[in-house]
Amino acid sequence: VINLDDAAPPPRPPHGADADAMDVDELPRRSQADAGQLLLRIKKLEQDKARLNRDLDGEKAKALSRAGEVDTVRRRFDAATRDSERRLLALQHAHNDALARHKAELDAMRREREQAHTNSLFLEHDLAREADKAKRVPRPALPKPKPNAVASPAATPKRQHKTLPFRDGFDDDDIVMASPSKPRDRPKASTPKQAGKRKRQVTDQSPIPMLQLSEPRERHRTTPHEPSLPDDTKLDPALLERLRQQDDRRFTFLHRLLAHRCSNGRDRVLEALTAHALPSRPQKKLSSVVYDSLSTCSLSLGVHELALQICHIFLSLWEQCLQERYYPAIYLILDALHFILACEPAKTAVELTERAVPLLIASVDLVAVPVARAAKLDDIYVAALYSPAQLKVSIEINVMDCLHFLHLIASSCLSSTSSEAITRFWQCIPADFALVLLNRVQPLPHITLMLRVLGTSALSSSLGAIVAPDSPPDQQGKRESDVVDRLTNLLFETPKSIPPPSREDSKPPPSLPSAAQVWDLRSRVLHLLTQFAIEEHGSLRLVTHRNCVGRLIKYLDFCITSLYESPLFPTQERTVANINTTMRLIYHLATSHPDIDIKGKLGVIQGGHHKYLVALTRLAFSEGLVLEHGIDEQVVDMAHAILDEGLSLEEGEGLLRVFSSGNSV
């Protein structure tokens, strides 16, 4: 048995000085352990750093190698491009030379054929005239012999048959004997001593008058074509009058074309072309090219065919200028084409569609595409836009003239009796052409004129450009949605030119358009959208677009708010006109497609449902006084109708209490 009282107590932890001594002894061991760990960690970090530096150097070397390879490939590509362009230009020159040579040979053969035909007509005419003369010469009547008289030698047929001919090229029957004596009783003429003078003295010995060698001057000369007609043929006077009038019209047309002055008002168009020549043929002026082409025109062409052929001559010259990058003469070609189409019916412009539209697109792209690229404000594209070469191109090519000519062709195709004409026109337009010109960085006149051109594309089965038939099925829908998206964005954008790069010699940027110009631009956009909505296809495209209806509601709210923020502003009439047009368009879309939820389109616009209620409610309870003067009553009724369809009874009563007016009874 162990006595618990005698057991030794358990050891107690040290206190006081002994405990402090123990802690001091443990500190060096802990610090040594921590220092070792830190050294290992530092060594590991240094190894990681060295490894990362090696990886970084390797990546830099790879990047440098890739950059060198890219630069080498780029240089090779540029060299190959220049070589291919040079070869293509040489092939084009060879082709043009061969074509000109063949054309000259054909012209020479045609002229030879015409000359041979003319000579044959002259021969026929001469033969017919000689035959007619032979018929008209009266034969002398032979005297009848008397019964008891002695027969005269000259009148006796037997003696006449025995007489030898004179062999002088004339008919012996026409010779009248001056004396009834026998020929043998006449003294013979003496034979000339010189061989070269052996000839008959026609004046002394011929019994008939001297032969006339030429026709009298006062006698009317017949044309070479008369002998080919029968004697009993009578020309229709109406036909002759029509041919004369056609000749007069051709002469008048050519005379007016030669006298037409270019847009600068100083020189005539063909005279101004004498100052220009293509780089490939600097010795031959462009006017000579036009005159040479005119000389090959057939004289049998009517005035319409002649005008069409002259248009093709100028279009060929335009194409050569674009190929050789010679742009100063393009405005003269446009002046000539504008004048010809102004003198001709619309069908002339329709027949030029396939050839003229690609040239117009290529010319406009030379100016508009660099502007659209610089819209991102990239220093490279901005510097390229304001480079001397690009500024020179912008001066030499007048985009407004090109767009006016494009609108003229589009209007002519739209007014044509065949619907295929306008379809062929929009098949020639690239899909991104309208998007480039509707960018807000483009000049305001270019945007406005492009909207007018785009107004001719509201067809029964398409909007805007028509893609190729072999494109994917949904490609046309995507292109149309892009056009609608760009148009609705213009409702909230202000055209603004790209400022030039900061240089001392650069010109200040053009001023911003005025508020009236901006409102007019938005009004044109609304009218274009309304044109799209007339056809079933366009209306469905607008109402099913993701942002179109929401942006129209947002723009309606913006216009109504502008009336209250700027009271009695000079643009109030334009603002009210935009409100009326926007409300009519929204109402047309809502009523034309009742199966589509208009309120469901508001989610893509921030605060769309609120703007919807506020804008339509303000409009529905408008009294048309003071600030709201000019809002049509039909527009107010349309807003009422849409609210009645989209609001519950409680919501309508609440709005009625807030906007109580005389119209709310």
Side-chain angles (χ1 to χ4, degrees):
V1 178
I2 300 175
N3 189 4
L4 296 175
D5 295 335
D6 297 338
R12 298 179 179 179
H15 297 281
D18 296 337
D20 294 337
M22 185 180 295
D23 294 337
V24 171
D25 293 338
E26 290 179 357
L27 286 174
R29 289 196 297 272
R30 293 179 181 176
S31 61
Q32 291 177 0
D34 294 340
Q37 291 178 359
L38 290 175
L39 289 175
L40 291 176
R41 187 174 182 183
I42 291 172
K43 185 176 181 181
K44 185 177 180 181
L45 291 175
E46 289 179 349
Q47 292 176 356
D48 293 341
K49 181 180 179 182
R51 179 175 54 79
L52 292 175
N53 288 334
R54 287 195 301 271
D55 295 341
L56 180 61
D57 293 339
E59 294 298 330
K60 287 182 178 180
K62 291 180 181 179
L64 186 61
S65 176
R66 291 193 187 97
E69 293 175 358
V70 170
D71 186 66
T72 302
V73 171
R74 184 182 295 110
R75 287 198 304 270
R76 291 179 179 176
F77 176 77
D78 294 339
T81 303
R82 289 193 298 270
D83 185 61
S84 62
E85 290 179 353
R86 187 166 53 253
R87 291 181 180 179
L88 180 60
L89 187 60
L91 289 175
Q92 289 177 352
H93 288 170
H95 174 70
N96 293 335
D97 293 340
L99 185 62
R101 185 171 61 254
H102 292 316
K103 189 175 182 181
E105 293 176 358
L106 290 175
D107 293 340
M109 293 176 63
R110 183 168 59 252
R111 286 194 296 269
E112 291 177 1
R113 185 182 62 185
E114 292 176 355
Q115 184 66 27
H117 181 64
T118 304
N119 293 338
S120 66
L121 291 178
F122 272 110
L123 291 175
E124 291 177 4
H125 172 65
D126 293 339
L127 291 175
R129 186 175 60 181
E130 292 298 331
D132 189 41
K133 284 175 57 179
K135 292 179 181 178
R136 288 198 302 266
V137 172
R139 295 181 178 272
L142 297 177
K144 296 182 180 181
K146 295 182 179 180
N148 299 326
V150 180
S152 175
T156 303
K158 295 181 180 180
R159 299 300 297 174
Q160 188 176 2
H161 286 294
K162 292 181 180 180
T163 303
L164 296 177
F166 289 112
R167 294 185 178 92
D168 55 355
F170 299 93
D171 293 335
D172 296 338
D173 295 336
D174 297 336
I175 300 177
V176 180
M177 300 301 293
S179 174
S181 60
K182 295 182 180 181
R184 62 174 177 269
D185 296 337
R186 287 185 183 180
K188 295 183 179 180
S190 59
T191 304
K193 297 180 180 181
Q194 297 181 6
K197 294 184 179 179
R198 186 176 183 179
K199 60 182 179 180
R200 296 173 61 197
Q201 300 296 329
V202 179
T203 306
D204 298 336
Q205 301 180 8
S206 178
I208 63 175
M210 183 181 296
L211 179 65
Q212 294 180 355
L213 299 179
S214 62
E215 296 288 338
R217 294 183 179 272
E218 66 274 9
R219 187 172 180 178
H220 178 68
R221 294 184 180 181
T222 56
T223 58
H225 298 282
E226 289 182 3
S228 60
L229 295 175
D231 295 338
D232 57 348
T233 302
K234 294 183 179 180
L235 294 178
D236 187 7
L239 176 61
L240 294 177
E241 181 65 19
R242 187 165 61 251
L243 293 176
R244 186 187 64 78
Q245 292 178 0
Q246 187 174 3
D247 290 340
D248 292 343
R249 288 196 297 269
R250 285 187 298 181
F251 175 77
T252 304
F253 171 73
L254 289 176
H255 177 73
R256 294 178 62 186
L257 177 62
L258 295 176
H260 178 62
R261 296 187 181 274
C262 55
S263 55
N264 58 17
R266 296 190 301 269
D267 302 326
R268 293 179 174 85
V269 172
L270 295 178
E271 291 178 356
L273 287 175
T274 57
H276 301 278
L278 295 174
S280 60
R281 292 182 293 176
Q283 71 282 358
K284 189 168 186 178
K285 304 302 181 182
L286 296 184
S287 58
S288 300
V289 177
V290 176
Y291 288 137
D292 292 345
S293 301
L294 284 175
S295 63
T296 61
C297 295
S298 177
L299 297 178
S300 61
L301 294 177
V303 62
H304 171 68
E305 291 78 10
L306 180 61
L308 190 62
Q309 190 164 353
I310 294 176
C311 287
H312 282 291
I313 291 173
F314 281 104
L315 290 175
S316 300
L317 196 61
W318 191 353
E319 186 176 4
Q320 293 178 12
C321 291
L322 291 178
Q323 290 176 356
E324 301 188 19
R325 299 179 181 178
Y326 183 76
Y327 310 127
I330 291 181
Y331 83 97
L332 295 172
I333 299 174
L334 280 171
D335 289 342
L337 291 173
H338 272 292
F339 174 76
I340 294 173
L341 295 185
C343 299
E344 284 295 302
K347 65 177 182 179
T348 306
V350 174
E351 295 176 5
L352 298 176
T353 301
E354 285 79 1
R355 190 172 185 188
V357 171
L359 297 177
L360 288 166
I361 300 299
S363 301
V364 173
D365 284 345
L366 291 173
V367 180
V369 171
V371 176
R373 289 176 179 173
K376 300 178 181 179
L377 299 180
D378 192 337
D379 295 339
I380 298 177
Y381 292 126
V382 174
L385 177 62
Y386 286 95
S387 63
Q390 183 59 35
L391 291 176
K392 182 180 178 183
V393 173
S394 302
I395 294 174
E396 293 174 345
I397 298 178
N398 193 331
V399 178
M400 287 298 294
D401 287 348
C402 295
L403 291 178
H404 275 297
F405 192 64
L406 188 67
H407 181 258
L408 174 62
I409 297 177
S411 302
S412 301
C413 293
L414 188 63
S415 62
S416 177
T417 56
S418 175
S419 60
E420 296 180 357
I422 190 64
T423 303
R424 287 188 288 107
F425 172 82
W426 283 105
Q427 287 175 347
C428 298
I429 302 293
D432 57 344
F433 179 72
L435 300 179
V436 171
L437 283 174
L438 293 179
N439 198 309
R440 66 183 182 90
V441 297
Q442 299 287 352
L444 182 60
H446 298 179
I447 299 175
T448 304
L449 194 49
M450 188 62 216
L451 291 175
R452 293 176 59 189
V453 175
L454 203 59
T456 62
S457 68
L459 305 181
S460 59
S461 59
S462 63
L463 297 177
I466 300 176
V467 300
D470 55 350
S471 301
D474 58 340
Q475 189 69 20
Q476 181 67 31
K478 291 181 179 179
R479 294 302 182 185
E480 293 176 359
S481 297
D482 293 340
V483 172
V484 174
D485 188 73
R486 183 89 285 278
L487 290 174
T488 52
N489 276 331
L490 280 178
L491 296 174
F492 306 97
E493 294 177 347
T494 301
K496 181 180 179 182
S497 60
I498 300 174
S502 56
R503 295 182 300 182
E504 296 181 358
D505 57 343
S506 61
K507 298 181 181 180
S511 58
L512 294 176
S514 62
Q517 292 176 333
V518 174
W519 282 108
D520 289 340
L521 174 64
R522 293 168 179 171
S523 177
R524 290 183 180 275
V525 173
L526 290 173
H527 283 294
L528 179 58
L529 293 174
T530 304
Q531 284 182 273
F532 286 172
I534 294 175
E535 297 289 344
E536 180 67 22
H537 176 81
S539 177
L540 184 62
R541 180 65 63 191
L542 293 180
V543 77
T544 56
H545 189 269
R546 184 173 181 269
N547 300 320
C548 180
V549 176
R551 288 175 180 173
L552 289 175
I553 294 294
K554 180 180 177 181
Y555 182 68
L556 180 63
D557 178 72
F558 168 76
C559 293
I560 296 175
T561 305
S562 299
L563 289 178
Y564 299 99
E565 290 181 350
S566 303
L568 302 180
F569 198 71
T571 59
Q572 181 183 6
E573 294 182 359
R574 293 181 172 86
T575 306
V576 172
N578 277 256
I579 292 174
N580 293 331
T581 306
T582 307
M583 189 63 242
R584 286 191 174 94
L585 179 57
I586 295 173
Y587 180 78
H588 174 74
L589 295 177
T591 55
S592 300
H593 305 277
D595 54 333
I596 297 179
D597 186 14
I598 297 296
K599 297 179 65 175
K601 301 288 184 179
L602 305 176
V604 296
I605 304 298
Q606 185 177 3
H609 188 71
H610 172 73
K611 296 179 184 298
Y612 171 81
L613 290 177
V614 172
L616 292 182
T617 305
R618 282 180 172 180
L619 198 57
F621 294 96
S622 171
E623 297 180 356
L625 301 176
V626 191
L627 300 180
E628 300 173 351
H629 176 71
I631 297 179
D632 296 339
E633 294 183 1
Q634 295 179 354
V635 172
V636 174
D637 295 339
M638 292 175 183
H640 265 295
I642 294 179
L643 283 176
D644 292 342
E645 293 292 335
L647 294 179
S648 61
L649 182 60
E650 292 78 7
E651 292 174 341
E653 292 177 353
L655 292 175
L656 186 61
R657 287 193 298 269
V658 174
F659 296 94
S660 60
S661 64
N663 292 339
S664 60
V665 179

